[in-house]
């Protein structure tokens, strides 16, 4: 007998075939999708489930997957504005150094995770200080997370030596190697902040633990020029030359690539995370997403931190991914609606190496799904649920969210934490944050 039955739903499975169902039923057992089909196929099996949700007026689809974030940077949202990336980073890093410790990182993580969970994100890849504390926050909210130790040559927020950072990264891999809700990774910040030997060492550590290797890459023109003048190769060539790229490498941004670098990504299987909101706001440029997709590269979507995009809205990222490239190239066929949805779901799961478990609604996968309210002025008439999901849906339409069959958002309220308490604590901390950049 199923633990949960979702009945009478419009279901957008986001599987590779683009399967969708009207009058659909999905059965969940032991946290996994046990069956999915039309109401008529199930009858009693759905009615006899321990719990039944009548999803009339709702769209059911997989939880969104955000493959690039700095979650606890929600603490610094709106603090530094209207500067190019490099001087902007210097100011943000000053504030981070003054404010961040395990406690404030946990608090900022709760805030960011709350925003994402309420907005339909069920899995996120995070690069930030104190990753153990971010995992703790993700578990309280009930989300899946991919993260791990940061590698950064300078003392940074923690003031730790590089040696200590590698020890911490190693411990993170060990601590979470068997966790179902954590996808362990190592997070060297970027080729401009981490020396080649340390990048290689990070890669070796990821390999030893079978984990992911995630770094920023080719985000700005300045970065490309800097790396080229230092090492005689552009960023992607540099990473490839060091032997860092394979199918378990996640590269945030990939804005400034030439055609040979796109070939390198295709050949190695490295996976770019497209962050259109951040790239636009920081004037970093526009990633060659149509060319990457054309080359068969798996492109997923990220919000980047709330300091660079001001919110953690993957719907906006998806919509921009679908529209931006059409607009700037003058070609409405670029990045199809189906491709945009895949970038926010299945491609995200592939990027994190877990597409056998999540990313689409298919029998045997874990029941990570969201229920979108269709009783909205912008949801009628509904000729095509795919188009609705990509171009008309926004965060506030998300009514219920499930991760592994467990409900983490019920009627737009978190079930794991009390958001008003988090907000009160953040407000109390805000004056200290403001003073940190004075
Ligand atoms: Zn970033």
């Amino acid at each position: 007998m199923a633990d949960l039955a979702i009945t009478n739903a419009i279901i957008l499975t986001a599987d590779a075939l683009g399967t969708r169902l009207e009058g659909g039923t999905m059965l969940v057992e032991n946290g996994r999708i046990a069956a999915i089909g039309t109401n008529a196929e199930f009858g009693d099996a759905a009615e006899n489930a321990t719990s039944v949700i009548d999803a009339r007026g709702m769209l059911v689809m997989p939880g969104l997957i955000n493959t690039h974030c700095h979650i606890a940077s929600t603490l610094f949202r709106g603090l530094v504005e209207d500067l190019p990336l490099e001087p902007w980073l210097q100011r943000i890093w000053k504030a981070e150094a003054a404010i961040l410790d395990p406690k404030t990182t946990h608090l900022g993580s709760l805030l960011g995770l709350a925003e994402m969970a309420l907005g339909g994100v069920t899995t996120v890849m995070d690069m930030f200080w104190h990753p153990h504390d971010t995992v703790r926050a993700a578990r309280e909210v009930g989300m899946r997370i991919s993260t791990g130790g940061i590698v950064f040559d300078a003392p940074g927020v923690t003031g730790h030596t590089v040696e200590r950072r590698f020890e911490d990264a190693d411990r993170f891999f060990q601590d979470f190697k068997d966790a179902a809700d954590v996808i362990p990774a190592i997070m060297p910040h970027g080729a401009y902040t981490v020396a080649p030997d340390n990048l290689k060492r990070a890669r070796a550590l990821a390999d030893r633990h079978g984990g992911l290797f995630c770094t920023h890459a080719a985000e700005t023109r300045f970065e490309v020029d800097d790396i080229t003048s230092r090492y005689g190769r552009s960023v992607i060539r540099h990473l490839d030359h060091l032997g860092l790229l394979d199918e378990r490498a996640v590269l945030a941004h990939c804005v400034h690539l030439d055609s040979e670098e796109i070939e390198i990504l295709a050949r190695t299987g490295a996976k770019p995370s497209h962050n259109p909101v951040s790239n636009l706001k920081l004037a970093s440029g526009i990633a060659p997403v149509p060319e990457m997709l054309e080359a068969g590269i798996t492109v997923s979507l990220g919000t980047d931190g709330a300091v660079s995009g001001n919110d953690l809205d993957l719907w906006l990222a998806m919509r921009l991914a679908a529209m931006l490239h059409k607009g700037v190239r003058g070609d409405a066929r670029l990045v199809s609606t189906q491709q945009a949805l895949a970038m926010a779901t299945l491609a995200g799961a592939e990027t994190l190496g877990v597409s056998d478990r999540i990313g689409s609604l298919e029998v045997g996968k874990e029941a990570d799904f969201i229920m979108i309210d269709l009783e909205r002025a912008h949801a009628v008439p509904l000729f095509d649920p795919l188009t609705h999901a990509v171009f008309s849906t926004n965060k506030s339409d998300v009514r219920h969210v499930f991760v592994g069959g467990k409900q983490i958002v019920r009627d737009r309220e978190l079930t794991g934490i009390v958001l008003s308490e988090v907000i009160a604590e953040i407000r109390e901390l805000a004056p200290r944050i403001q003073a940190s950049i004075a």
Side-chain angles (χ1 to χ4, degrees):
M1 195 171 76
D3 304 316
L4 171 66
I6 308 292
T7 61
N8 299 312
I10 297 173
I11 302 176
L12 195 56
T13 65
D15 67 5
L17 301 172
T19 308
R20 59 192 83 168
L21 295 161
E22 297 217 11
T25 287
M26 184 167 76
L27 302 182
V28 177
E29 257 176 60
N30 299 321
R32 289 179 186 273
I33 299 170
I36 190 161
T38 58
N39 291 337
E41 289 172 55
F42 297 105
D44 288 354
E47 284 159 31
N48 294 337
T50 311
S51 144
V52 180
I53 299 179
D54 185 338
R56 229 174 296 241
M58 285 187 268
L59 169 64
V60 176
M61 60 181 281
L64 304 184
I65 298 176
N66 181 355
T67 56
H68 186 62
C69 198
H70 309 280
I71 305 173
S73 76
T74 46
L75 295 174
F76 310 104
R77 184 196 326 259
L79 189 65
V80 184
E81 296 292 329
D82 300 332
L83 286 177
L85 183 70
E86 287 74 22
W88 175 86
L89 266 180
Q90 295 306 324
R91 299 205 75 196
I92 289 291
W93 284 347
K94 186 179 172 203
E96 287 185 358
I99 297 299
L100 292 173
D101 57 31
K103 191 166 178 286
T104 54
T105 301
H106 174 255
L107 181 64
S109 295
L110 283 178
L111 184 70
L113 289 159
E115 179 186 345
M116 281 189 274
L118 290 166
V121 173
T122 48
T123 299
V124 56
M125 184 175 226
D126 189 54
M127 178 194 283
F128 214 61
W129 307 103
H130 309 298
H132 277 82
D133 299 282
T134 303
V135 169
R136 192 156 54 85
R139 287 183 163 169
E140 288 168 62
V141 176
M143 287 170 65
R144 294 183 204 280
I145 188 163
S146 176
T147 190
I150 289 229
V151 181
F152 194 70
D153 289 350
V157 164
T158 56
H160 290 165
T161 61
V162 171
E163 211 52 45
R164 168 74 192 273
R165 294 219 165 102
F166 278 109
E167 285 166 23
D168 288 349
D170 190 40
R171 185 166 332 107
F172 189 94
F173 276 122
Q174 290 174 30
D175 287 350
F176 297 106
K177 65 177 191 295
D178 298 320
D181 55 345
V182 180
I183 304 156
I186 192 162
M187 299 277 171
H189 176 266
Y192 59 107
T193 46
V194 184
D197 281 352
N198 288 333
L199 286 171
K200 286 203 274 192
R201 198 171 158 191
R203 175 77 246 186
L205 191 61
D207 289 345
R208 180 149 21 107
H209 292 284
L212 298 169
F213 172 95
C214 171
T215 192
H216 291 106
E219 180 175 3
T220 65
R221 177 53 58 196
F222 177 90
E223 176 196 342
V224 174
D225 293 345
D226 177 35
I227 295 299
T228 306
S229 71
R230 278 202 243 177
Y231 305 111
R233 291 181 183 86
S234 57
V235 180
I236 301 301
R237 287 182 183 84
H238 175 60
L239 299 178
D240 185 41
H241 177 73
L242 295 174
L244 306 175
L245 303 181
D246 70 2
E247 64 285 346
R248 283 179 298 133
V250 183
L251 305 178
H253 301 299
C254 291
V255 172
H256 298 279
L257 309 181
D258 59 31
S259 58
E260 198 182 302
E261 289 175 299
I262 291 173
E263 279 171 33
I264 292 173
L265 297 182
R267 168 171 56 75
T268 57
K271 297 182 173 61
S273 171
H274 180 37
N275 289 235
V277 178
S278 164
N279 297 157
L280 286 171
K281 185 155 184 279
L282 296 175
S284 302
I286 295 173
V289 171
E291 285 78 5
M292 292 197 278
L293 291 172
E294 181 67 32
I297 295 166
T298 300
V299 184
S300 61
L301 281 178
T303 56
D304 212 348
V307 285
S308 39
N310 298 59
D311 66 8
L312 304 175
D313 186 348
L314 209 68
W315 299 99
L316 177 59
M318 177 161 58
R319 202 187 291 195
L320 275 177
M323 299 196 305
L324 182 58
H325 309 281
K326 293 173 165 56
V328 293
R329 311 285 183 87
D331 184 348
R333 292 166 303 181
L334 295 177
V335 187
S336 70
T337 314
Q338 182 70 36
Q339 282 174 318
L341 177 74
M343 287 167 79
T345 54
L346 194 54
E350 285 165 6
T351 299
L352 302 181
V354 289
S355 57
D356 57 330
R357 291 171 50 204
I358 59 172
S360 58
L361 302 182
E362 296 180 71
V363 171
K365 284 199 178 183
E366 304 201 39
D368 290 14
F369 63 97
I370 60 180
M371 301 180 71
I372 305 293
D373 191 354
L374 298 175
E375 297 301 317
R376 312 284 266 185
H378 57 274
V380 284
L382 188 80
F383 297 120
D384 177 11
L386 171 65
T387 304
H388 180 72
V390 173
F391 289 109
S392 312
T393 302
N394 59 56
K395 286 196 287 190
S396 65
D397 295 340
V398 177
R399 190 166 157 195
H400 305 305
V401 179
F402 291 79
V403 174
K406 182 171 175 280
Q407 189 158 15
I408 68 163
V409 173
R410 181 179 294 119
D411 282 319
R412 301 186 171 87
E413 297 275 354
L414 296 160
T415 61
I417 63 166
V418 180
L419 181 57
S420 58
E421 291 174 7
V422 175
I423 289 173
E425 280 188 66
I426 300 272
R427 289 209 170 110
E428 211 176 292
L429 183 63
R432 238 182 82 203
I433 299 169
Q434 178 83 64
S436 71
I437 56 160

